[in-house]
Amino acid sequence: MRSNQYSDKEIAVFNGLVGLLKQGKSLYKIKVSEIAKAANIGKGTIYDYFSSKEEAIYLALLYYLNNEMTRVVSEVESTSSFKNKIYKLLDITEENIESKYSSLKTVLSAKDISSMYDLIEGNENLIDSFINYMGKIMESIVTAGENEGYINKSYSSYYKKSAIRCILIGFAQFVSHKECYKDVNVDLAKEVAYTQLIKMLR
Amino acid sequence: MRSNQYSDKEIAVFNGLVGLLKQGKSLYKIKVSEIAKAANIGKGTIYDYFSSKEEAIYLALLYYLNNEMTRVVSEVESTSSFKNKIYKLLDITEENIESKYSSLKTVLSAKDISSMYDLIEGNENLIDSFINYMGKIMESIVTAGENEGYINKSYSSYYKKSAIRCILIGFAQFVSHKECYKDVNVDLAKEVAYTQLIKMLR
Amino acid sequence: MRSNQYSDKEIAVFNGLVGLLKQGKSLYKIKVSEIAKAANIGKGTIYDYFSSKEEAIYLALLYYLNNEMTRVVSEVESTSSFKNKIYKLLDITEENIESKYSSLKTVLSAKDISSMYDLIEGNENLIDSFINYMGKIMESIVTAGENEGYINKSYSSYYKKSAIRCILIGFAQFVSHKECYKDVNVDLAKEVAYTQLIKMLR
Amino acid sequence: MRSNQYSDKEIAVFNGLVGLLKQGKSLYKIKVSEIAKAANIGKGTIYDYFSSKEEAIYLALLYYLNNEMTRVVSEVESTSSFKNKIYKLLDITEENIESKYSSLKTVLSAKDISSMYDLIEGNENLIDSFINYMGKIMESIVTAGENEGYINKSYSSYYKKSAIRCILIGFAQFVSHKECYKDVNVDLAKEVAYTQLIKMLR
DNA sequence: CATGAATGAGGGTTCATTCAT
DNA sequence: AATGAATGAACCCTCATTCAT
């Protein structure tokens, strides 16, 4: 596992790469020369900081995931009340799905990414890291829900967290394929998700 | 959209490709020569039936998805009672996630597949097709649930189907990352999913 | 060790490569694309027959050496009389050194070639092969010399062969650096070599 | 032709490079960064003293050759008696061939080195320089041999020197490929060489 | 002077696709 | 119809050289 402290050049590579993804470039078609150009550095320079294209991509995704999730965690934690936290998460999910590139999307296809690139699925991999962050978020939400009386404390921890995860992924599914649900708009889908959650937890 | 009637050679290609995936070969690293060998045909022959490697892969996945989902639909439909149908679906989900390759996995990363291969995301794409099948399954389950009194009929169709989809994906998530939930076994996770569903629908 | 039977394409590569060397191209600067062009085949085709550029070059040199040395052996063996054999060998040496490329030159720098290319210095390497051929030639010459009474049979086999080898290499040295010996012409150098040999062997 | 006076940095480069060669590093694979590290200087510094990697290597070899040959000349000259001089030369030859790197080896493959590196084969090249030194050594030996009555003075200068050169190269050949002469040891080979020389010269 | 971070031209190799048989 | 030998465009990576500090 590499240090969390990255040099300017490394961060330039990360930002360049994520920038390309946000422009809609497919992860599977990115060329080293494109990354270099997007990062405003020479092609060879990438190899001064990363041992391969694979590594550069992997670390970029990890870096971006960490940044993004750190932000999400703090946003949710700084949001008051159970209901607001849930809606905040649904909002973030919506944005993520709608954008050309997001960590959420990466995580949803992370198995494929690691199957494409022979990344050492070491201690710290994308999904583990993501699940870790989600754990913190769930924790924060469960605590709020219990304090505010929305959650029946007799449920197991897994049950409670699982319920939240469920409605999130279900909502993500909706956003991903809105066109299949012509009679449902986003706000309604959020309401449905929230209602379902309340029913599961009480 | 191509005919649903495929020639022997085309089906050989489909089976060969899916066979490779089931052996754990990464979709992103498959070579035409490997497909040809797995299908027991010459490399050039593939181009007599498909316009490109991309198309061959895309159609193979679609073919396999259709076969598999047709089977799943009929299995669920032929299962009696609401609860049994749900458990059947959870069982199928479990198997799918655990196997090296399954249509479910393909669908979960379908955005990536289509981003890797410049597939004309035409009328009939993998996800649309999948959602279509899922719709049928949901329909069957909802009907059973209503007939058996598990489902409060006042909910919208979206609400009802969404609830089922939620717990399925939530359960899929669990199976994918069992190692993160050390105190939960598969049977418990199924129970939790079922309980959550009942609560959402009543 | 590969079979001695080569396909047309392999021989085309061999001839193409040796052709480049004979044009004065340095072995160390040859590009795969040049070899392909010289062999009148596509660049990729080389990799259908050889696992790497290194291997292609190594096998080409070996192939050429075998061909050339086989010819030399038969030329010397078919020459009658001790003196004629020696002069034949000196003539061949002269031609070899004067040409832009010859197996003799390769052998003289074979250690470098193998140090440049990480060739598995397996059973059959250039120098061993060369020494083997030389052994046969020496044998043929020693037999003639003994039959004709030029060679005192009491010398060891090593002594006799070594004497021949000596004057050959000495003569090769002369040809390589003629410009350093302004008062000696090739014919004189051959006479000197022969005289020295006679003195050593009687 | 550059001055014979080199700066400390230049000599550091020379020694660093030769050091690498003596460690068994192939001349054809040496990188500028390695030379710099071996010389304990910065990579850029090399270009303050040499116009290219090629030049640095060429001058290093030349420098080393001069040092080594100067030493060899003086060793041979300071050895008394014809026979001792010859044996001294054979000893030196043996050491040279056995070591990972020596000027002798360089000279034996000098054509390749200059073909690899586009060295201006100007006035002062490796082989010319070497032949020059050898000339001095031959001179010294011939003089001793004549004084001691081993050499028939009626032979031409070329004949005499050529004889010495012959047995040296012949012996070098033996040492290079000892494994091919299982029934001959080094001391015997030296004796053979000396005997052959005596016979040629008397 | 000395450095080493940065560069990018260049080359070995892969593999989707073609086409003569 | 079927093949697989042949192709060459494309791309990753190396490393000699430069130049700002």
Side-chain angles (χ1 to χ4, degrees), chain A residues 98-115:
Chain A
E98 306 257 276
S99 80
K100 287 257 185 192
Y101 172 71
S102 70
S103 291
L104 182 52
K105 286 187 171 179
T106 296
V107 167
L108 289 176
S109 60
K111 286 273 154 161
D112 285 85
I113 290 168
S114 60
S115 91

Side-chain angles (χ1 to χ4, degrees), chain A residues 11-194:
Chain A
I11 290 172
V13 168
F14 296 160
N15 288 332
L17 180 50
V18 171
L20 288 170
L21 296 176
K22 289 193 172 177
Q23 281 162 42
K25 189 90 199 170
S26 159
L27 187 55
Y28 306 101
K29 288 176 175 167
I30 275 178
K31 295 173 217 162
V32 172
S33 59
E34 288 174 325
I35 300 174
K37 189 175 285 181
N40 259 312
I41 60 171
K43 196 151 46 111
T45 306
I46 289 181
Y47 292 89
D48 290 339
Y49 295 92
F50 306 97
S51 63
S52 67
K53 179 179 115 164
E54 279 191 20
E55 194 194 46
I57 290 178
Y58 175 65
L59 290 175
L61 296 180
L62 201 54
Y63 174 80
Y64 190 65
L65 174 79
N66 282 326
N67 281 358
E68 211 178 29
M69 291 307 291
T70 301
R71 191 176 51 74
V72 172
V73 168
S74 86
E75 275 189 45
V76 171
E77 285 185 344
S78 67
T79 299
S80 60
S81 97
F82 176 73
K83 184 168 182 180
N84 287 341
K85 279 174 197 281
I86 295 296
Y87 271 87
K88 169 61 78 178
L89 254 184
L90 292 171
D91 291 346
I92 292 170
T93 301
E94 185 186 354
E95 282 162 31
N96 267 271
I97 299 287
E98 306 257 276
S99 80
K100 287 257 185 192
Y101 172 71
S102 70
S103 291
L104 182 52
K105 286 187 171 179
T106 296
V107 167
L108 289 176
S109 60
K111 286 273 154 161
D112 285 85
I113 290 168
S114 60
S115 91
M116 174 175 194
Y117 298 115
D118 291 325
L119 298 168
I120 315 100
E121 302 191 37
N123 295 326
E124 180 184 26
N125 77 54
L126 286 166
I127 294 186
D128 286 350
S129 192
F130 179 78
I131 289 181
N132 213 25
Y133 283 112
M134 287 306 288
K136 279 193 202 161
I137 293 171
M138 301 292 126
E139 205 76 59
S140 158
I141 292 175
V142 167
T143 304
E146 288 179 341
N147 291 341
E148 297 173 33
Y150 288 105
I151 299 179
N152 182 331
K153 294 189 179 181
S154 68
Y155 291 127
S156 72
S157 171
Y158 172 73
Y159 182 101
K160 290 180 268 190
K161 291 179 181 174
S162 158
I164 303 170
R165 219 171 39 235
C166 271
I167 60 127
L168 275 179
I169 308 180
F171 175 72
Q173 246 275 337
F174 164 81
V175 179
S176 294
H177 308 294
K178 274 209 288 273
E179 68 283 1
C180 301
Y181 309 97
K182 298 244 162 71
D183 51 344
V184 183
N185 65 34
V186 180
D187 288 334
L188 177 57
K190 285 180 187 168
E191 266 178 56
V192 166
Y194 184 69

Side-chain angles (χ1 to χ4, degrees), chain B residues 43-57:
Chain B
K43 197 150 44 116
T45 308
I46 289 181
Y47 290 88
D48 292 337
Y49 293 92
F50 306 97
S51 65
S52 69
K53 176 180 135 173
E54 280 188 20
E55 194 194 48
I57 290 179

Side-chain angles (χ1 to χ4, degrees), chain D residues 51 85 129 151 201:
Chain D
S51 65
K85 280 176 197 279
S129 190
I151 299 180
L201 292 177

Side-chain angles (χ1 to χ4, degrees), chain B residues 3-201:
Chain B
S3 150
N4 284 330
Q5 298 309 318
Y6 291 113
S7 71
D8 287 355
K9 285 275 189 308
E10 284 166 318
I11 289 172
V13 168
F14 296 160
N15 288 332
L17 180 51
V18 171
L20 288 170
L21 295 176
K22 290 194 173 176
Q23 283 162 41
K25 190 90 198 170
S26 159
L27 186 56
Y28 306 101
K29 289 177 175 166
I30 275 179
K31 296 174 211 164
V32 173
S33 59
E34 289 173 324
I35 299 174
K37 186 177 285 180
N40 261 313
I41 61 171
K43 197 150 44 116
T45 308
I46 289 181
Y47 290 88
D48 292 337
Y49 293 92
F50 306 97
S51 65
S52 69
K53 176 180 135 173
E54 280 188 20
E55 194 194 48
I57 290 179
Y58 175 66
L59 291 175
L61 296 180
L62 201 54
Y63 173 81
Y64 189 66
L65 175 78
N66 282 327
N67 281 359
E68 210 177 32
M69 291 307 291
T70 301
R71 191 176 51 73
V72 173
V73 168
S74 86
E75 275 189 45
V76 172
E77 285 185 343
S78 67
T79 299
S80 61
S81 96
F82 176 72
K83 185 170 182 178
N84 285 343
K85 280 175 196 282
I86 295 296
Y87 271 89
K88 169 59 78 180
L89 215 45
L90 291 172
D91 291 346
I92 292 170
T93 300
E94 185 186 354
E95 282 162 30
N96 267 270
I97 298 287
E98 306 256 277
S99 80
K100 287 253 187 195
Y101 172 70
S102 71
S103 290
L104 182 52
K105 286 188 170 179
T106 295
V107 167
L108 289 176
S109 61
K111 286 273 153 162
D112 285 272
I113 290 167
S114 59
S115 91
M116 179 183 186
Y117 300 115
D118 289 326
L119 298 167
I120 316 98
E121 299 191 41
N123 295 326
E124 178 183 28
N125 79 53
L126 286 166
I127 294 187
D128 288 349
S129 190
F130 179 78
I131 289 180
N132 213 26
Y133 283 111
M134 287 306 287
K136 280 193 201 160
I137 294 171
M138 301 293 126
E139 207 76 58
S140 158
I141 292 174
V142 165
T143 304
E146 287 178 342
N147 290 342
E148 298 174 33
Y150 289 105
I151 298 179
N152 181 332
K153 294 188 179 181
S154 68
Y155 291 126
S156 71
S157 170
Y158 172 73
Y159 182 101
K160 290 179 270 191
K161 292 180 181 172
S162 159
I164 303 170
R165 217 171 41 234
C166 270
I167 61 126
L168 276 179
I169 308 181
F171 176 72
Q173 244 276 334
F174 164 81
V175 179
S176 294
H177 307 294
K178 275 210 285 274
E179 67 284 0
C180 301
Y181 310 98
K182 297 242 162 72
D183 49 345
V184 182
N185 64 34
V186 180
D187 288 334
L188 177 58
K190 285 179 186 168
E191 268 178 54
V192 165
Y194 184 68
T195 308
Q196 290 173 336
L197 180 60
I198 292 298
K199 285 183 188 284
M200 280 191 272
L201 293 177

Side-chain angles (χ1 to χ4, degrees), chain C residues 31 77 117-118 120 131 139-140 145-146 148 154 159 163 167 171 191:
Chain C
K31 294 173 219 165
E77 286 184 343
Y117 299 116
D118 290 325
I120 313 99
I131 288 180
E139 206 76 59
S140 159
E146 286 178 342
E148 298 173 34
S154 69
Y159 181 101
I167 60 126
F171 176 71
E191 267 179 55

